[in-house]
């Protein structure tokens, strides 16, 4: 497994763990293709809590404009990966 695919898997696992803490759906029921609103019933309050939890978990600040585009768990993972990459390049 390449470092990039390993990172994607690790991030996806952590994102799913954070999401499972907020929703009645268990970790096994949350997949990358799960839709936030239709499948996981994310509302605006939950979304704010999720963003705060992800920011804390990953040590990042998720951009509001990207968060507003989230439709699936995979969208969340991509934003987290992008934000981590930006943060790493800022630290160099």
């Amino acid at each position: 497994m390449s470092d990039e695919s390993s990172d994607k898997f690790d991030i996806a696992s952590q994102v799913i763990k954070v999401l499972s803490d907020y929703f009645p759906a268990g970790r096994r029921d949350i997949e990358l293709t799960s839709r936030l609103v239709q499948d996981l019933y994310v509302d605006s309050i939950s979304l704010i809590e999720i963003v705060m939890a992800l920011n804390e978990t990953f040590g990042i600040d998720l951009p509001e404009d990207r968060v507003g585009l989230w439709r699936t768990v995979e969208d969340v993972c991509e934003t987290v990966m992008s934000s981590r990459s930006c943060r790493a390049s800022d630290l160099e």
Side-chain angles (χ1 to χ4, degrees), residues 55-66:
N55 285 342
E56 184 176 319
T57 299
F58 292 100
I60 56 177
D61 282 320
L62 294 168
E64 288 180 36
D65 59 329
R66 294 281 307 270

Side-chain angles (χ1 to χ4, degrees), residues 35-53:
R35 298 169 299 171
L36 299 175
V37 175
Q38 296 89 340
D39 300 330
L40 301 177
Y41 307 106
V42 173
D43 61 19
S44 57
I45 301 296
S46 298
L47 185 63
I48 292 168
E49 292 173 351
I50 292 165
V51 169
M52 290 171 39

Side-chain angles (χ1 to χ4, degrees), residues 11-40:
I11 288 171
S13 295
Q14 288 179 304
V15 166
I16 288 171
K17 183 191 178 325
V18 169
L19 292 174
S20 70
D21 290 342
Y22 284 92
F23 303 109
R27 235 183 266 189
R28 291 185 187 130
D29 297 331
I30 300 174
E31 300 176 358
L32 290 176
T33 57
S34 297
R35 298 169 299 171
L36 299 175
V37 175
Q38 296 89 340
D39 300 330
L40 301 177

